[in-house]
C-alpha cells in the first residue's frame, strides 16, 4: 500500500536544485534559510554554507524557533557577518515581514542605492564592505523592500530559475535528483568499519567516533537543549536519524539529517562555522 505523504519526505524543487548547482559553480556563496524543511540540502547544497537561522527540522540541536523564542547566538553572529560582506542578495519567496534576517537584503539594497547616488551627502559607512550590486527580490507578493530592490520579479520561483539555468548553461545532469541520495550516503565501508558509525575529524587534528546505531546514547551540544541526553531510535523512511532526548522532566523528539554525519566525517566542517551539535554520551 502507498504510504501517506509526510513533510519529511518532501523533495526539492527546480529552484532548490538550480541554486545548489550555482553554489557548486562558485556563483552563490551562502544561503540564509528562513524555512526549516531541509530541501536545499536534499538538493545538494552543503550544510557548511547554510545558516538555518530560524531552526531546522533536520538538526536536532537547532529546533524551530517560535515567534516568542530566541535565535541562537552563533547563527546571529554568522548572519551579521554575511550582512556586512554580501555584495548581492537574492530574496526568494519571502514576504520580508520584519524577521531578523530581513536586515541582510535591506542593508545590501541600501548600500547599492548609496553607490548609485554619488552626489548624495557622504555618510560614514556603517559597515566595512564595499558598495554592493543590491538586492534581487523574486516572489508573487509585494514586500516592504520592493522600492529598494535593484531588480524586482513577480513570478513563481521555479519559472524564474528554469530561465536562469538556461541562460547560464546549467546542464540537466547538474540538477539530477539522484544527487540527493548519492551525496548523502555513508561512504563505502572499509575493513572493520560499521554502518552508522562515523569517524569525525576535529579542529585539533584528532578524530571522534559518532555512533548513530539504533539505541546509541547521545548528548546535544548546541541549542536550547544543550547538555540533554537521549538515544537514537533508528531511522525514518528517508534514512534520517530519529533522536529522542530528555530536557529537564520532559522528553522531546527530533531528527538529524543524514547529510550531517556524512559531511562531518568527510572533514567538511573543519575550519568552518558549522558545528555538529551531537555526540555520544
Amino acid at each position: 500500500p502507498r504510504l501517506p505523504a509526510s513533510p519529511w519526505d518532501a523533495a526539492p524543487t527546480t529552484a532548490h536544485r538550480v541554486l545548489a548547482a550555482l553554489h557548486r559553480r562558485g556563483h552563490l556563496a551562502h544561503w540564509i534559510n528562513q524555512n526549516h524543511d531541509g530541501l536545499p540540502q536534499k538538493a545538494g547544497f552543503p550544510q557548511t554554507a547554510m545558516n538555518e537561522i530560524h531552526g531546522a527540522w533536520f538538526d536536532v540541536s537547532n529546533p524551530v524557533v517560535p515567534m516568542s523564542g530566541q535565535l541562537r547566538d552563533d547563527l546571529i553572529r554568522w548572519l551579521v557577518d554575511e550582512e556586512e560582506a554580501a555584495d548581492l542578495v537574492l530574496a526568494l519567496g519571502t514576504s520580508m515581514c520584519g524577521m531578523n534576517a530581513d536586515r541582510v537584503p535591506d542593508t545590501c539594497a541600501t548600500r547599492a542605492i548609496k553607490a548609485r547616488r554619488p552626489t548624495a551627502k557622504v555618510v560614514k559607512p556603517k559597515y566595512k564592505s564595499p558598495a554592493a550590486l543590491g538586492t534581487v527580490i523574486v516572489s508573487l507578493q509585494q514586500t516592504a523592500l520592493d522600492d529598494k530592490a535593484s531588480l524586482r520579479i513577480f513570478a513563481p520561483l521555479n519559472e524564474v530559475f528554469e530561465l536562469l539555468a538556461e541562460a547560464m548553461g546549467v546542464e540537466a545532469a547538474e540538477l539530477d535528483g539522484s544527487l540527493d541520495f548519492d551525496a548523502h550516503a555513508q561512504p563505502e565501508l572499509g575493513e572493520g568499519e560499521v554502518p552508522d558509525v562515523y569517524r569525525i575529524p576535529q579542529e585539533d587534528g584528532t578524530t571522534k567516533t559518532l555512533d548513530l546505531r539504533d539505541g546509541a546514547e547521545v548528548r546535544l551540544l548546541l541549542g536550547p537543549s544543550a547538555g540533554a541526553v537521549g538515544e537514537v531510535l533508528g531511522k525514518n523512511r528517508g534514512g534520517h536519524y530519529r533522536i529522542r532526548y530528555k530536557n529537564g522532566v520532559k522528553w522531546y523528539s527530533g531528527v538529524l539529517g543524514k547529510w550531517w554525519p556524512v559531511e562531518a566525517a568527510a572533514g567538511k566542517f573543519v575550519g568552518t562555522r558549522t558545528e555538529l551539535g551531537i555526540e555520544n554520551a
Side-chain angles (χ1 to χ4, degrees), residues 198-210 260-272 274-276:
Y198 300 85
R199 299 282 290 172
I200 311 296
Q202 305 297 299
E203 294 288 345
D204 61 4
T206 62
T207 59
K208 180 186 290 186
T209 298
L210 178 63
W260 276 96
V262 169
E263 289 190 28
K268 294 183 179 180
F269 294 171
V270 175
T272 74
T274 303
E275 298 181 65
L276 184 62

Side-chain angles (χ1 to χ4, degrees), residues 12 16 40 104 144 172 179 227 243 251 270:
H16 291 108
V104 180
L179 288 173
I243 310 292
W251 285 92
V270 175

Side-chain angles (χ1 to χ4, degrees), residues 71-122:
L71 303 177
R72 261 177 43 182
D73 289 344
D74 58 325
L75 299 182
I76 280 288
R77 289 193 295 271
W78 190 3
L79 181 142
V80 171
D81 287 346
E82 291 305 318
E83 176 189 8
E84 296 183 8
D87 59 356
L88 176 63
V89 173
L90 309 181
L92 307 175
T94 173
S95 61
M96 288 187 283
C97 59
M99 297 294 189
N100 207 309
D102 294 354
R103 61 196 292 164
V104 180
D106 191 8
T107 295
C108 193
T110 299
R111 287 206 310 271
I113 290 170
K114 290 180 178 179
R116 293 196 295 266
R117 298 175 180 170
T119 59
K121 180 180 178 182
V122 177

